[in-house]
Amino acid sequence: MTESGTSEKRFVVDVMMGKLAKWLRVLGFDTRYRRLDRLQTVERFSREGFLILTRSRRWSEHSRVSILSSNDPMDQLREVMARIPVAPGDVRLLHRCIRCNERLSKLARSLALSHVPDYVFETNVSFYHCPKCNKVYWSGSHPRRMIDRLQDELGWSVSMNEQTGG
Ligand SMILES: [Zn+2]
């Protein structure tokens, strides 16, 4: 009941906007990072329900392409948020790997022990890891600083709880 796969917002971010892609992953959105130099690519992602974010005007006539004007990643994120309604409820922190977009899996505490500093282990209950690159995440780690910044910038209040899981 908590799985809302059908309405999930998904993005393709054109190359040169890597930081925007990371922010969208921090927020838990399925975010592909691709060079969008072929119509074929744009059309395929479009058919799959992705919203395509680019700074190039090349595909401006395509209905699912959103052209961003800003250079700054945070301003780009604001542009995205202004165009598609993203509610704080859509946000799922600690859901995707920031590096590779993979969905994170819960990591047993006993396994986390060897991957994180002692104080982190002592002060966190839950850990997650990326099945692809093995990066370990926890609620107090660097995503938190990102979230703080995001809250400041966008005026959101996003709670850092782990909510429903899956
Ligand atoms: Zn990863």
Side-chain angles (χ1 to χ4, degrees):
M1 198 187 299
T2 52
E3 283 292 313
S4 55
T6 51
S7 63
E8 197 185 353
K9 294 178 177 71
R10 310 163 87 197
F11 301 95
V12 185
V13 173
D14 202 352
V15 287
M16 307 298 284
M17 297 197 295
K19 284 188 179 158
L20 174 64
K22 282 188 180 175
W23 279 111
L24 290 167
R25 287 172 184 167
V26 167
L27 296 174
F29 297 114
D30 182 353
T31 306
R32 314 295 168 88
Y33 186 55
R34 293 282 191 288
R35 181 179 296 281
L36 297 170
D37 53 357
R38 296 164 64 200
L39 181 60
Q40 219 179 315
T41 312
V42 170
E43 290 189 328
R44 178 168 58 84
F45 279 117
S46 180
R47 269 197 309 276
E48 292 172 10
F50 285 88
L51 188 71
I52 295 147
L53 306 173
T54 180
R55 296 193 65 222
S56 159
R57 309 205 70 84
R58 193 181 339 190
W59 316 115
S60 61
E61 280 159 33
H62 208 283
S63 66
R64 294 195 66 84
V65 171
S66 199
I67 297 167
L68 306 181
S69 57
S70 176
N71 275 317
D72 176 78
M74 194 52 78
D75 286 340
Q76 289 165 352
L77 186 63
R78 284 173 190 277
E79 284 186 68
V80 175
M81 299 293 160
R83 285 178 207 185
I84 39 139
V86 173
D90 294 331
V91 171
R92 299 178 74 187
L93 302 174
L94 294 170
H95 184 64
R96 283 190 189 270
C97 181
I98 293 166
R99 282 183 193 160
C100 47
N101 194 45
E102 203 72 21
R103 281 174 90 136
L104 301 179
S105 310
K106 196 135 189 172
L107 183 67
R109 264 183 79 81
S110 55
L111 294 174
L113 183 58
S114 58
H115 292 284
V116 301
D118 288 351
Y119 76 94
V120 167
F121 185 76
E122 296 304 331
T123 52
N124 285 272
V125 177
S126 302
F127 299 89
Y128 303 84
H129 91 292
C130 171
K132 195 164 167 189
C133 73
N134 282 322
K135 184 173 164 57
V136 175
Y137 292 84
W138 59 90
S139 62
S141 65
H142 94 160
R144 164 129 252 148
R145 290 201 297 277
M146 291 180 155
I147 297 315
D148 287 346
R149 181 157 169 222
L150 199 66
Q151 292 186 342
D152 289 349
E153 297 270 353
L154 295 175
W156 282 8
S157 70
V158 177
S159 66
M160 203 63 203
N161 65 23
E162 8 198 357
Q163 15 185 320
T164 51

